[in-house]
Coordinates of all heavy atoms in Angstrom, one line a residue:
M1 N -9.3 2.3 2.0 CA -8.1 1.6 1.8 C -7.0 2.7 1.8 O -6.7 3.4 0.9 CB -8.1 1.1 0.3 CG -8.4 -0.3 0.2 SD -8.3 -0.8 -1.5 CE -10.0 -0.7 -2.0
I2 N -6.3 2.9 3.0 CA -5.3 3.8 3.1 C -4.0 3.1 3.6 O -4.1 2.2 4.5 CB -5.7 4.9 4.2 CG1 -7.0 5.5 3.8 CG2 -4.6 5.9 4.4 CD1 -7.0 6.5 2.8
V3 N -2.9 3.5 3.1 CA -1.6 3.1 3.6 C -0.7 4.3 3.7 O -0.7 5.2 2.8 CB -0.9 2.1 2.5 CG1 0.5 1.7 3.0 CG2 -1.8 0.8 2.4
I4 N 0.1 4.4 4.7 CA 1.1 5.5 4.9 C 2.4 4.9 4.7 O 2.8 3.9 5.4 CB 0.9 6.1 6.3 CG1 -0.5 6.5 6.7 CG2 1.9 7.3 6.5 CD1 -0.9 7.9 6.2
V5 N 3.2 5.5 3.8 CA 4.6 5.1 3.6 C 5.5 6.4 3.4 O 5.1 7.2 2.6 CB 4.7 4.2 2.3 CG1 6.2 3.7 2.1 CG2 3.8 3.1 2.4
N6 N 6.6 6.4 4.1 CA 7.5 7.6 3.9 C 6.7 8.9 4.1 O 6.9 9.8 3.3 CB 8.3 7.5 2.6 CG 9.1 6.3 2.5 OD1 9.6 5.8 3.5 ND2 9.4 5.8 1.3
N7 N 5.8 9.0 5.1 CA 5.1 10.2 5.4 C 4.1 10.6 4.3 O 3.7 11.7 4.2 CB 6.0 11.3 5.8 CG 6.8 11.0 7.0 OD1 6.2 10.5 8.0 ND2 8.1 11.3 7.0
K8 N 3.8 9.7 3.4 CA 2.9 10.0 2.3 C 1.7 9.0 2.4 O 1.8 7.8 2.6 CB 3.6 9.8 0.9 CG 2.7 10.2 -0.3 CD 3.5 10.2 -1.6 CE 2.5 10.6 -2.7 NZ 3.2 10.6 -4.0
E9 N 0.5 9.6 2.2 CA -0.8 8.8 2.2 C -1.1 8.3 0.8 O -1.2 9.1 -0.1 CB -1.9 9.7 2.7 CG -3.2 9.0 2.8 CD -4.3 10.0 3.2 OE1 -4.2 10.7 4.1 OE2 -5.4 9.9 2.5
Y10 N -1.4 7.0 0.7 CA -1.8 6.4 -0.5 C -3.2 5.8 -0.3 O -3.4 5.2 0.7 CB -0.9 5.3 -0.9 CG 0.5 5.7 -1.3 CD1 1.5 5.8 -0.4 CD2 0.8 6.1 -2.7 CE1 2.8 6.3 -0.7 CE2 2.1 6.5 -3.0 CZ 3.1 6.6 -2.0 OH 4.3 7.0 -2.4
S11 N -4.1 6.1 -1.2 CA -5.5 5.6 -1.1 C -5.7 4.5 -2.2 O -5.1 4.6 -3.3 CB -6.5 6.6 -1.1 OG -6.4 7.4 -2.3
G12 N -6.5 3.6 -1.9 CA -6.7 2.4 -2.7 C -7.5 2.7 -4.0 O -8.2 3.6 -4.1
T13 N -7.2 1.8 -4.9 CA -8.0 1.7 -6.2 C -8.3 0.3 -6.5 O -7.5 -0.6 -6.0 CB -7.1 2.4 -7.3 OG1 -7.9 2.2 -8.6 CG2 -5.8 1.7 -7.5
E14 N -9.3 0.0 -7.2 CA -9.7 -1.3 -7.5 C -9.1 -1.6 -8.9 O -9.4 -2.7 -9.4 CB -11.2 -1.5 -7.5 CG -11.8 -1.1 -6.1 CD -12.3 -2.2 -5.3 OE1 -12.5 -3.3 -5.9 OE2 -12.5 -2.1 -4.2
A15 N -8.4 -0.7 -9.5 CA -7.9 -0.9 -10.9 C -6.8 -2.0 -10.9 O -6.1 -2.2 -10.0 CB -7.3 0.4 -11.4
E16 N -6.9 -2.7 -11.9 CA -5.8 -3.8 -12.1 C -4.5 -3.1 -12.6 O -4.6 -2.0 -13.2 CB -6.3 -4.8 -13.2 CG -7.4 -5.6 -12.8 CD -7.0 -6.6 -11.8 OE1 -5.9 -7.1 -11.8 OE2 -7.9 -6.8 -10.9
L17 N -3.4 -3.7 -12.3 CA -2.2 -3.1 -12.8 C -2.1 -3.2 -14.3 O -2.3 -4.3 -14.9 CB -1.0 -3.9 -12.2 CG -0.8 -3.7 -10.7 CD1 0.4 -4.7 -10.3 CD2 -0.4 -2.3 -10.4
D18 N -1.7 -2.1 -15.0 CA -1.5 -2.2 -16.4 C 0.0 -2.4 -16.7 O 0.8 -2.3 -15.7 CB -2.1 -1.0 -17.1 CG -1.5 0.3 -16.7 OD1 -0.2 0.3 -16.6 OD2 -2.2 1.4 -16.6
A19 N 0.3 -2.6 -17.9 CA 1.7 -2.9 -18.2 C 2.7 -1.8 -17.8 O 3.9 -2.1 -17.6 CB 1.8 -3.2 -19.7
S20 N 2.2 -0.5 -17.7 CA 3.1 0.6 -17.4 C 3.4 0.6 -15.9 O 4.4 1.4 -15.5 CB 2.5 1.9 -17.9 OG 1.4 2.2 -17.1
K21 N 2.7 -0.1 -15.0 CA 2.9 -0.1 -13.6 C 3.6 -1.4 -13.2 O 2.9 -2.3 -12.7 CB 1.6 0.2 -12.9 CG 1.1 1.6 -13.2 CD -0.2 1.8 -12.5 CE -0.8 3.2 -12.7 NZ -1.1 3.4 -14.1
R22 N 4.9 -1.4 -13.2 CA 5.7 -2.6 -12.8 C 6.2 -2.4 -11.4 O 6.6 -1.3 -11.0 CB 6.8 -2.8 -13.8 CG 6.3 -3.0 -15.2 CD 7.4 -3.7 -16.1 NE 6.9 -3.8 -17.5 CZ 6.2 -4.8 -17.9 NH1 5.8 -5.8 -17.1 NH2 5.9 -4.9 -19.2
Q23 N 6.2 -3.5 -10.7 CA 6.7 -3.5 -9.4 C 8.2 -3.2 -9.3 O 9.0 -3.6 -10.0 CB 6.5 -4.9 -8.8 CG 7.0 -5.1 -7.3 CD 6.8 -6.5 -6.8 OE1 5.6 -6.9 -6.9 NE2 7.7 -7.1 -6.3
G24 N 8.5 -2.2 -8.3 CA 9.9 -1.8 -8.1 C 10.4 -2.5 -6.8 O 10.1 -3.6 -6.5
E25 N 11.2 -1.7 -6.1 CA 11.9 -2.2 -4.9 C 11.0 -2.3 -3.7 O 10.0 -1.5 -3.6 CB 13.1 -1.3 -4.6 CG 14.1 -1.3 -5.7 CD 14.8 -2.6 -5.9 OE1 15.2 -3.2 -4.9 OE2 15.1 -2.9 -7.1
K26 N 11.3 -3.1 -2.8 CA 10.6 -3.2 -1.5 C 10.8 -1.9 -0.8 O 12.0 -1.5 -0.6 CB 11.0 -4.4 -0.7 CG 10.3 -4.5 0.6 CD 10.8 -5.7 1.4 CE 10.2 -5.7 2.8 NZ 10.6 -6.8 3.6
M27 N 9.8 -1.3 -0.3 CA 9.9 -0.1 0.5 C 9.7 -0.3 2.0 O 10.3 0.4 2.8 CB 8.8 0.9 0.0 CG 8.9 1.3 -1.4 SD 7.5 2.4 -2.0 CE 7.8 3.9 -1.1
S28 N 8.8 -1.1 2.3 CA 8.4 -1.3 3.8 C 7.5 -2.5 3.9 O 7.2 -3.2 2.9 CB 7.7 -0.1 4.2 OG 7.5 -0.1 5.7
T29 N 7.1 -2.8 5.1 CA 6.2 -3.8 5.5 C 5.1 -3.2 6.4 O 5.5 -2.3 7.2 CB 6.9 -4.9 6.3 OG1 7.9 -5.4 5.4 CG2 6.0 -6.1 6.6
I30 N 3.9 -3.6 6.3 CA 2.8 -3.1 7.2 C 3.1 -3.5 8.6 O 3.3 -4.8 8.9 CB 1.4 -3.6 6.7 CG1 1.1 -3.1 5.4 CG2 0.4 -3.2 7.8 CD1 0.9 -1.6 5.2
L31 N 3.2 -2.6 9.5 CA 3.6 -2.9 10.9 C 2.3 -2.8 11.8 O 2.3 -3.4 12.9 CB 4.6 -1.9 11.4 CG 6.0 -1.9 10.7 CD1 6.9 -0.8 11.2 CD2 6.6 -3.2 10.7
K32 N 1.3 -2.1 11.4 CA 0.1 -1.9 12.2 C -1.1 -1.8 11.3 O -1.1 -1.1 10.3 CB 0.2 -0.7 13.1 CG -1.1 -0.6 14.0 CD -0.9 0.6 14.9 CE -2.2 0.7 15.8 NZ -2.2 1.9 16.6
K33 N -2.2 -2.5 11.6 CA -3.4 -2.4 11.0 C -4.4 -1.7 11.9 O -4.7 -2.2 13.0 CB -4.0 -3.8 10.5 CG -5.3 -3.7 9.8 CD -5.7 -5.1 9.4 CE -7.1 -5.0 8.7 NZ -7.6 -6.3 8.3
T34 N -4.9 -0.6 11.4 CA -5.9 0.1 12.2 C -7.3 -0.5 11.9 O -7.5 -1.3 10.9 CB -5.9 1.6 11.9 OG1 -6.3 1.8 10.6 CG2 -4.5 2.2 12.2
K35 N -8.3 -0.1 12.6 CA -9.7 -0.5 12.2 C -10.1 0.2 10.9 O -9.6 1.2 10.5 CB -10.6 0.0 13.4 CG -10.4 -0.7 14.6 CD -11.3 -0.4 15.7 CE -11.1 -1.3 16.9 NZ -11.1 -0.7 18.2
A36 N -11.0 -0.5 10.2 CA -11.3 -0.1 8.8 C -11.8 1.4 8.8 O -11.6 2.1 7.8 CB -12.4 -1.0 8.3
Y37 N -12.5 1.8 9.8 CA -13.0 3.2 9.8 C -12.0 4.2 10.4 O -12.3 5.4 10.4 CB -14.3 3.3 10.6 CG -14.2 2.8 12.1 CD1 -13.7 3.7 13.0 CD2 -14.5 1.5 12.4 CE1 -13.6 3.2 14.4 CE2 -14.3 1.1 13.7 CZ -13.9 2.0 14.7 OH -13.7 1.5 16.0
E38 N -10.8 3.8 10.8 CA -9.8 4.7 11.4 C -8.8 5.1 10.3 O -8.5 4.3 9.5 CB -9.1 4.1 12.5 CG -9.9 3.9 13.8 CD -9.1 3.3 14.9 OE1 -7.9 2.8 14.7 OE2 -9.7 3.1 16.0
M39 N -8.4 6.3 10.4 CA -7.3 6.8 9.5 C -6.0 6.4 10.0 O -5.7 6.7 11.2 CB -7.4 8.3 9.4 CG -6.4 9.0 8.5 SD -6.7 8.5 6.8 CE -5.7 9.6 6.0
P40 N -5.1 5.7 9.3 CA -3.8 5.4 9.8 C -3.0 6.7 10.0 O -3.2 7.7 9.3 CB -3.2 4.7 8.6 CG -4.3 4.1 7.8 CD -5.4 5.1 8.0
Q41 N -2.2 6.7 11.1 CA -1.5 7.9 11.5 C 0.0 8.0 11.3 O 0.6 9.0 11.3 CB -1.8 8.2 13.0 CG -3.3 8.4 13.3 CD -3.9 9.6 12.6 OE1 -3.3 10.7 12.6 NE2 -5.0 9.5 12.0
A42 N 0.6 6.8 11.1 CA 2.1 6.7 11.0 C 2.5 5.9 9.9 O 1.7 5.2 9.3 CB 2.6 6.2 12.3
N43 N 3.8 5.9 9.5 CA 4.4 5.1 8.5 C 4.1 3.6 8.7 O 4.1 3.2 9.9 CB 5.9 5.4 8.4 CG 6.1 6.7 7.7 OD1 5.5 7.1 6.7 ND2 7.1 7.5 8.2
S44 N 3.9 2.9 7.6 CA 3.8 1.5 7.6 C 2.5 1.1 8.3 O 2.4 -0.1 8.9 CB 5.0 0.8 8.2 OG 6.1 1.1 7.5
Q45 N 1.5 1.9 8.3 CA 0.2 1.5 8.8 C -0.8 1.5 7.7 O -0.7 2.2 6.7 CB -0.3 2.6 9.9 CG 0.5 2.5 11.1 CD -0.1 3.4 12.2 OE1 -1.1 4.1 12.0 NE2 0.5 3.4 13.4
S46 N -1.9 0.7 7.9 CA -3.0 0.5 6.9 C -4.3 0.2 7.6 O -4.2 -0.4 8.7 CB -2.7 -0.6 5.9 OG -3.8 -0.8 5.1
N47 N -5.4 0.6 7.0 CA -6.7 0.2 7.6 C -7.3 -0.9 6.8 O -8.5 -1.2 7.0 CB -7.6 1.5 7.7 CG -7.9 2.0 6.3 OD1 -7.4 1.6 5.3 ND2 -8.8 3.0 6.3
L48 N -6.5 -1.5 6.0 CA -7.0 -2.7 5.1 C -6.1 -3.9 5.2 O -6.5 -5.0 5.4 CB -7.2 -2.3 3.7 CG -7.6 -3.4 2.8 CD1 -9.1 -3.9 3.1 CD2 -7.5 -3.0 1.3
F49 N -4.8 -3.6 4.9 CA -3.9 -4.7 4.7 C -3.4 -5.3 6.1 O -3.2 -4.5 7.0 CB -2.7 -4.2 3.9 CG -3.1 -3.9 2.5 CD1 -3.2 -2.6 2.1 CD2 -3.4 -4.8 1.5 CE1 -3.6 -2.2 0.8 CE2 -3.8 -4.5 0.2 CZ -3.9 -3.2 -0.1
S50 N -3.1 -6.5 6.1 CA -2.6 -7.2 7.3 C -1.2 -6.9 7.7 O -0.4 -6.6 6.8 CB -2.7 -8.7 7.1 OG -4.0 -9.1 6.7
V51 N -0.9 -7.0 9.0 CA 0.5 -6.8 9.4 C 1.4 -7.9 8.7 O 1.0 -9.0 8.6 CB 0.5 -7.0 11.0 CG1 2.0 -7.1 11.4 CG2 -0.2 -5.9 11.7
G52 N 2.5 -7.4 8.2 CA 3.4 -8.3 7.4 C 3.3 -8.2 6.0 O 4.1 -8.7 5.2
S53 N 2.2 -7.5 5.5 CA 2.1 -7.3 4.0 C 3.3 -6.4 3.6 O 3.7 -5.5 4.2 CB 0.7 -6.5 3.7 OG -0.3 -7.3 4.1
T54 N 3.7 -6.7 2.3 CA 4.9 -6.0 1.8 C 4.5 -4.9 0.9 O 3.6 -5.1 0.1 CB 5.7 -7.0 1.0 OG1 6.0 -8.2 1.9 CG2 7.1 -6.4 0.6
I55 N 5.2 -3.7 1.0 CA 4.9 -2.5 0.2 C 6.1 -2.3 -0.7 O 7.2 -2.4 -0.4 CB 4.8 -1.3 1.1 CG1 3.7 -1.5 2.2 CG2 4.5 -0.1 0.3 CD1 3.8 -0.5 3.3
Y56 N 5.7 -2.2 -2.0 CA 6.7 -2.0 -3.1 C 6.5 -0.7 -3.8 O 5.4 -0.2 -3.9 CB 6.6 -3.1 -4.1 CG 6.9 -4.5 -3.6 CD1 5.9 -5.3 -3.1 CD2 8.2 -5.0 -3.6 CE1 6.2 -6.6 -2.6 CE2 8.6 -6.2 -3.1 CZ 7.5 -7.0 -2.6 OH 7.9 -8.3 -2.1
S57 N 7.5 -0.1 -4.3 CA 7.4 1.0 -5.2 C 6.9 0.6 -6.6 O 6.9 -0.6 -6.9 CB 8.8 1.7 -5.4 OG 9.7 0.8 -6.0
V58 N 6.5 1.5 -7.4 CA 6.2 1.2 -8.8 C 7.2 2.0 -9.7 O 7.5 3.2 -9.5 CB 4.7 1.8 -9.2 CG1 4.5 1.6 -10.6 CG2 3.7 1.0 -8.3
K59 N 7.8 1.2 -10.6 CA 8.9 1.7 -11.4 C 8.4 2.9 -12.2 O 7.3 2.9 -12.8 CB 9.4 0.6 -12.3 CG 10.2 -0.4 -11.6 CD 10.8 -1.4 -12.5 CE 11.5 -2.5 -11.8 NZ 12.1 -3.5 -12.7
G60 N 9.2 4.0 -12.2 CA 8.9 5.2 -13.0 C 7.9 6.2 -12.4 O 7.6 7.2 -13.1
T61 N 7.4 6.0 -11.2 CA 6.5 6.9 -10.6 C 6.5 6.8 -9.1 O 6.8 5.8 -8.5 CB 5.0 6.7 -11.1 OG1 4.2 7.7 -10.5 CG2 4.5 5.3 -10.7
E62 N 6.3 8.0 -8.5 CA 6.1 8.0 -7.0 C 4.7 8.2 -6.6 O 4.4 8.3 -5.5 CB 7.0 9.1 -6.4 CG 8.5 8.9 -6.6 CD 9.3 10.0 -5.9 OE1 8.8 10.8 -5.2 OE2 10.5 10.0 -6.2
D63 N 3.8 8.1 -7.6 CA 2.4 8.4 -7.4 C 1.7 7.1 -6.9 O 0.5 7.2 -6.5 CB 1.7 8.9 -8.7 CG 2.2 10.3 -9.0 OD1 2.6 11.0 -8.1 OD2 2.1 10.7 -10.2
F64 N 2.2 6.0 -7.1 CA 1.6 4.7 -6.8 C 2.6 3.8 -6.0 O 3.8 3.9 -6.0 CB 1.3 3.9 -8.1 CG 0.2 4.6 -8.9 CD1 0.5 5.4 -9.9 CD2 -1.1 4.4 -8.6 CE1 -0.4 6.0 -10.7 CE2 -2.1 5.0 -9.4 CZ -1.7 5.8 -10.4
I65 N 2.0 2.9 -5.2 CA 2.7 1.8 -4.6 C 1.9 0.5 -4.9 O 0.8 0.6 -5.3 CB 2.9 2.0 -3.0 CG1 1.5 2.1 -2.4 CG2 3.8 3.2 -2.7 CD1 1.5 2.1 -0.8
I66 N 2.5 -0.6 -4.6 CA 1.9 -1.9 -4.7 C 2.0 -2.5 -3.3 O 3.1 -2.6 -2.7 CB 2.5 -2.8 -5.8 CG1 2.3 -2.2 -7.2 CG2 1.9 -4.2 -5.7 CD1 3.1 -2.9 -8.2
V67 N 0.9 -3.1 -2.8 CA 0.9 -3.7 -1.5 C 0.5 -5.2 -1.8 O -0.5 -5.5 -2.4 CB -0.1 -3.2 -0.5 CG1 -0.1 -3.9 0.8 CG2 0.2 -1.7 -0.2
K68 N 1.4 -6.1 -1.4 CA 1.1 -7.6 -1.5 C 0.8 -8.1 -0.2 O 1.5 -8.2 0.7 CB 2.3 -8.2 -2.1 CG 2.6 -7.9 -3.5 CD 3.5 -8.9 -4.2 CE 3.6 -8.6 -5.7 NZ 4.4 -9.6 -6.4
D69 N -0.5 -8.6 -0.1 CA -1.1 -9.2 1.1 C -1.3 -10.7 0.7 O -1.3 -11.0 -0.5 CB -2.4 -8.5 1.4 CG -3.0 -8.8 2.7 OD1 -3.5 -10.0 2.8 OD2 -3.0 -8.0 3.6
K70 N -1.6 -11.5 1.7 CA -1.9 -12.9 1.4 C -3.1 -13.0 0.5 O -3.1 -13.9 -0.3 CB -2.1 -13.6 2.7 CG -0.9 -13.8 3.6 CD -1.3 -14.4 4.9 CE -0.2 -14.2 5.9 NZ -0.6 -14.6 7.2
E71 N -4.0 -12.2 0.6 CA -5.3 -12.3 -0.1 C -5.5 -11.2 -1.1 O -6.3 -11.3 -2.0 CB -6.5 -12.3 0.9 CG -6.4 -13.5 1.8 CD -7.5 -13.5 2.9 OE1 -8.4 -12.7 2.7 OE2 -7.4 -14.3 3.8
I72 N -4.9 -10.0 -0.9 CA -5.2 -8.8 -1.7 C -3.9 -8.3 -2.3 O -2.9 -8.2 -1.7 CB -5.8 -7.7 -0.8 CG1 -7.0 -8.2 0.0 CG2 -6.2 -6.5 -1.6 CD1 -7.4 -7.3 1.1
E73 N -4.0 -7.9 -3.6 CA -2.9 -7.2 -4.2 C -3.5 -6.1 -5.1 O -4.2 -6.3 -6.1 CB -2.0 -8.1 -5.1 CG -0.9 -7.4 -5.8 CD 0.0 -8.3 -6.6 OE1 -0.1 -9.6 -6.5 OE2 0.7 -7.8 -7.5
L74 N -3.3 -4.8 -4.7 CA -3.8 -3.7 -5.4 C -2.8 -2.6 -5.5 O -2.0 -2.4 -4.6 CB -5.0 -3.1 -4.5 CG -6.3 -4.0 -4.4 CD1 -7.2 -3.3 -3.4 CD2 -6.9 -4.3 -5.7
P75 N -2.9 -1.8 -6.6 CA -2.1 -0.6 -6.7 C -2.7 0.5 -5.9 O -4.0 0.6 -5.9 CB -2.1 -0.3 -8.2 CG -3.3 -0.9 -8.7 CD -3.6 -2.1 -7.8
L76 N -2.0 1.3 -5.3 CA -2.5 2.4 -4.5 C -1.9 3.7 -5.0 O -0.6 3.7 -5.3 CB -2.2 2.3 -3.0 CG -2.7 1.0 -2.3 CD1 -2.3 0.9 -0.9 CD2 -4.3 0.9 -2.5
G77 N -2.6 4.7 -5.1 CA -2.1 6.0 -5.6 C -2.5 7.1 -4.7 O -3.3 7.1 -3.9

């Protein structure tokens, strides 16, 4: 589970969002989905989330993002 946003790599976690991790502003949208075994190489790419999934910041931290997909919503850090 990798997403590249603003030249930073975020890897997935299966953890549920706790109360301290609130959704912030929209940052981007997934523009390209690579194969699951491929490493995304550019901004707005993921090897898990579908094209069109929305990427949000997390209030109070730059260590995590939230990706909202039709079927999956996970915090990434």
Side-chain angles (χ1 to χ4, degrees):
M1 266 183 261
I2 306 285
V3 175
I4 308 276
V5 183
N6 297 331
N7 299 313
K8 184 173 178 181
E9 176 186 316
Y10 294 89
S11 56
T13 177
E14 305 250 346
E16 292 292 321
L17 290 176
D18 64 39
S20 68
K21 293 179 179 64
R22 299 198 185 274
Q23 179 179 310
E25 298 295 317
K26 179 180 175 181
M27 297 173 70
S28 187
T29 301
I30 299 294
L31 300 176
K32 181 179 179 183
K33 180 179 179 181
T34 64
K35 293 183 174 142
Y37 58 84
E38 289 181 354
M39 179 70 167
Q41 298 296 315
N43 284 319
S44 301
Q45 290 187 357
S46 174
N47 63 354
L48 175 71
F49 297 102
S50 304
V51 170
S53 298
T54 307
I55 304 166
Y56 295 92
S57 63
V58 173
K59 290 181 180 180
T61 182
E62 293 184 13
D63 293 334
F64 294 93
I65 59 172
I66 296 172
V67 179
K68 288 198 175 184
D69 190 288
K70 294 175 190 169
E71 300 176 10
I72 306 167
E73 181 178 340
L74 296 172
L76 303 176

